[in-house]
Every structure is written in structure tokens, then in C-alpha cells.
Amino acid sequence: MHDIKFIRENAVEFDRIMQRRGLEFPSVQILRLDEKRRKLQTELQALQARRNESSKQIGVLKSSGGNTDELIAEVASIKQKIPELESEEQGLSGQINAILLSMPNLLDNNVPDGASEEDNVLLRQVGNMPEFEFAPRDHVALGEITKGLDFEAAAEISGARFVVLSGQMAKLERALASFMLDIHTSEFGYTEYLPPALVNSKTMAGTGQLPKFEDDLFKTTDGRWLIPTAEVPLTNMVANKILDADRLPLRMTAYTPCFRSEAGSAGRDTKGMIRQHQFSKVELVSITDPNASDAELDRMTSVAETVLNRLKLAYRVVKLCSGDTGFSARQTNDIEVWLPGQDEGEGRFREISSCSTCGPFQARRMNARFRRAGQKETEFVHTLNGSALAVGRCMVAIMENGQQKDGCILLPEALHIYMGTDRIG
């Protein structure tokens, strides 16, 4: 959500930033509607003031025996006019809010220009890619060998883009979630939550999923929504609250199922676990003082990297360009893990985490504020979110990087205590 006052006072700057998102001069329509609304508000205030004044005059005239017919007729006319103008003003406010809700966040100045992921900027690459004396398989083939991934059974039960995990693979999912949560809570000060997986429309709108991404969400018959990420319920924990500044930052983490219809990805990654309707993720959310927002993004990215470093998986970190930065984000660092079995064994980096700062964009939608010590005025908090990590994609990375010629999978040492073994298969 955007501040209409900011747009009024900085229309040229607002349009310049939105042009980087591919939107041409959006302030023109917004300010035209805003001007009409403000004129109506001025007219309403004038009518209300005249009504009050006329009502007082009627009282004076009545007490002195004067004729009040003309004033009574005027007040009656004003009373009829006011609801009409109020309705018109509410309609304009609705139009403006609908436009503002549909518009993406303002980009940070350090976001590089670009149209697609091809224009993202590499920040660093970490770790060694494994070398194989055989043609590396992808995780689908490895799942068949270990008999731990069953896509056919899932298709019978639910349809395409689902999987059934069993045996050691099911245990690996649970182990990874525990491993990640232990790191976040014990070492980095995140508080673990277990939020609902069903939320209402107001909650979805608060973090920017609605109205923009309605087609990519699953909705129940009673009007609730399955969460696409734990970011949604976690960030809304501060909705409509005023926090004391000394409570910031708030750092939250949760392991939840996530649900996405993948409406915009027809034909992409239809095979395997890369892009599914249901998947699990460990999410990080931070609520911060605006002055600490950028530093918190660096910290959150580092926390996500810690998981990959402990698992000894090669990865790279990229800064997303303007054309690839998500709707609610001001800036985003993507972490991409090396998957040697992708692209027919040629290997490929694939996203496993996105860490974003949203500035006050979500806070304004949720009315989430804080107050500094000794201050009466409140400010909007800044919100951040990041995957640490997408569990299914982490499983894929472990399978493909740890595969052996006979089809078994060597597990990272950090998982031995969670799995009770050093290998699968």
C-alpha cells in the first residue's frame, strides 16, 4: 500500500520508480481521482458548516418569533445533498484504494535495472560443486531408486504437482525442518510459531497476496485461503498493533505447509518436486525499526546461508533486478542452490530462498506501527521475510549432490544425528 500524501508531494519520483516496474505514469490517474475526492470533501465540509450555522439561526429566530421557513428549507436541502456527496466521496476513495492496493512496492535505489532473471546481479558464489565419475541423475530418478518419492500415487490421490514421501525420505523432510528450526531459534534468536494454514481475506491483503495474486491461491468454500507461505500469518501477528520501539526487532520462524495453484507457471517444472501445489517451508519474518531494515536483510540472508553452509551445499546469492523483484518487496536477495542432476545432468542453480525487505509497504496495509520512547507520534514498522529454507528443494539438493553411483545418497554430516544414519538407500 502506498501513502497518497507521498504521491501528491513526489509524483515525478513516484512515476520514475514505478516506471522501473514497467508502469507508465500511474500518478496521473491517482492524483486526478484524489483531486476530485478532495474537492468533494471540501464541499462536504462547507455544507456541514452551513447546516450547523443555519440550525443555530433557526433556533435564534424561533426564540424571537421570526420566520424560519426559508432556513428550514435550506437545511432540508443540505441534509438531502450531504448523503449524495458522501456516497460519491466513498466511491472515489474506493477507486483510489483499489488502485493503490494493486500497485507494487517502491523499489530500493540499489536494485539493479533489468527485465527478467537474466539481469539479476551475482553477489557471491559459495562452496564446491561435486564432481561425479558417472552421469548424475535428477531427484526423480533417485526417488525411484530409493523408492522414497511416489509421484504416481500422489497423482491418483490428488492430481498433478503432488508427491508422496515415504520411509527415509519422509524422515528427511522432518529432519530438515527440525535442523533448520534449531539453528534459527537456538543460534539466531528467532521465536518459533505454529500458525494456522487457513487465513481470512484481510490477512491475505495485509501482506500483499490479495488482490494481486488471487488466481495463484487456493480458496475454501467459506471464504478462507490456504497460505502460500508462513510469511502471511507471521507478519500479520503485528497487524493493528502499536509496538514499543524497545521490542524491535521481532524475529519469528515457522515450519508450515504452503499451497500455491501455480497459475502462472503452466508447463514449467511439471516433473518432480521443484514446483508443486503443496510444499513445506521454514520461513523467517522480521519486524524492525526502519533504520535497521537494510541491516536486517543482510542478517536474514546470512541466516539462510548458514543452513546451506552447514549442509555443505554449493550456492550463489543474487540481487534481483527491477523486473524480477516481487510485488511486495523493496529489494530481494535470492539464494540459488546447485542441483547437478538438472538439465539432463548438466546441472543448474535453482532458487531455494528469497530474502526481502518490504519497508512500510505491508505495515501500511496492516496498520502495524511502533512508538519511540518519549514520542507521541507513531511510525510504520518495516517488515522482512525470507525462506530458510524451502524444505522440498533442500531435499532435492541433498539427493542430487549426495548421490552415489549405486543410487544411494550420502547425507550431510549435520543431518546424521537427526536421521540416525549417514545415508539413504
Side-chain angles (χ1 to χ4, degrees), residues 324-373:
D324 203 27
T325 300
F327 178 83
S328 295
R330 283 178 62 169
Q331 59 173 315
T332 298
N333 296 331
D334 262 13
I335 304 176
E336 300 174 343
V337 69
W338 176 247
L339 301 181
Q342 300 293 295
D343 295 345
E344 305 297 329
E346 293 294 322
R348 182 181 176 189
F349 283 102
R350 295 301 300 260
E351 175 203 334
I352 196 168
S353 171
S354 285
C355 296
S356 303
T357 176
C358 301
F361 183 79
Q362 293 177 326
R364 190 171 284 110
R365 297 167 80 109
M366 298 185 304
N367 193 28
R369 295 168 289 160
F370 77 104
R371 181 180 285 115
R372 300 186 190 278

Side-chain angles (χ1 to χ4, degrees), residues 61 81 89 100 141 156 206 264 266 273 278 300 312 385 406:
L61 284 172
K81 182 70 172 176
E89 190 272 336
L100 294 178
E156 286 290 328
M273 294 174 60
Q278 177 183 331
M300 182 177 284
K312 293 183 167 47
N385 61 80
D406 63 359

Side-chain angles (χ1 to χ4, degrees), residues 87-140:
S87 177
E88 190 176 350
E89 190 272 336
Q90 289 170 4
L92 286 169
S93 294
Q95 289 182 58
I96 293 168
N97 286 335
I99 294 170
L100 294 178
L101 283 170
S102 70
M103 299 191 67
N105 201 350
L106 297 173
L107 293 172
D108 194 274
N109 287 332
N110 70 358
V111 173
D113 285 324
S116 68
E117 62 183 25
E118 302 299 323
D119 300 308
N120 295 338
V121 175
L122 177 65
L123 299 180
R124 55 188 170 273
Q125 186 166 317
V126 180
N128 299 316
M129 302 174 190
E131 296 182 0
F132 299 94
E133 297 178 349
F134 56 93
R137 312 170 185 88
D138 67 10
H139 69 283
V140 177

Side-chain angles (χ1 to χ4, degrees), residues 195-210:
L198 282 170
V199 298
N200 58 34
S201 295
K202 182 180 178 182
T203 299
M204 279 290 197
T207 47
Q209 272 70 33
L210 290 177

Side-chain angles (χ1 to χ4, degrees), residues 132 134 137 141-143 145-146 168-169 398-411 422-425:
F132 299 94
F134 56 93
R137 312 170 185 88
L142 292 166
I145 294 171
T146 60
Q168 288 179 302
M169 287 299 176
I398 288 170
M399 293 171 69
E400 294 191 6
N401 282 274
Q403 64 180 293
Q404 303 299 299
K405 190 174 183 178
D406 63 359
C408 78
I409 298 160
L410 296 186
L411 295 169
D422 66 349
R423 70 189 63 214
I424 288 176

Side-chain angles (χ1 to χ4, degrees), residues 47-115:
L47 282 173
Q48 288 163 347
R50 179 58 187 161
R51 179 193 61 190
N52 294 338
E53 180 62 27
S54 296
S55 296
K56 289 179 182 178
Q57 290 176 2
I58 289 170
V60 172
L61 284 172
K62 280 185 174 180
S63 64
S64 62
N67 189 329
T68 61
D69 292 349
E70 186 175 335
L71 285 173
I72 289 174
E74 181 186 17
V75 169
S77 175
I78 290 172
K79 285 183 177 179
Q80 184 177 0
K81 182 70 172 176
I82 284 176
E84 296 174 1
L85 293 181
E86 286 177 336
S87 177
E88 190 176 350
E89 190 272 336
Q90 289 170 4
L92 286 169
S93 294
Q95 289 182 58
I96 293 168
N97 286 335
I99 294 170
L100 294 178
L101 283 170
S102 70
M103 299 191 67
N105 201 350
L106 297 173
L107 293 172
D108 194 274
N109 287 332
N110 70 358
V111 173
D113 285 324

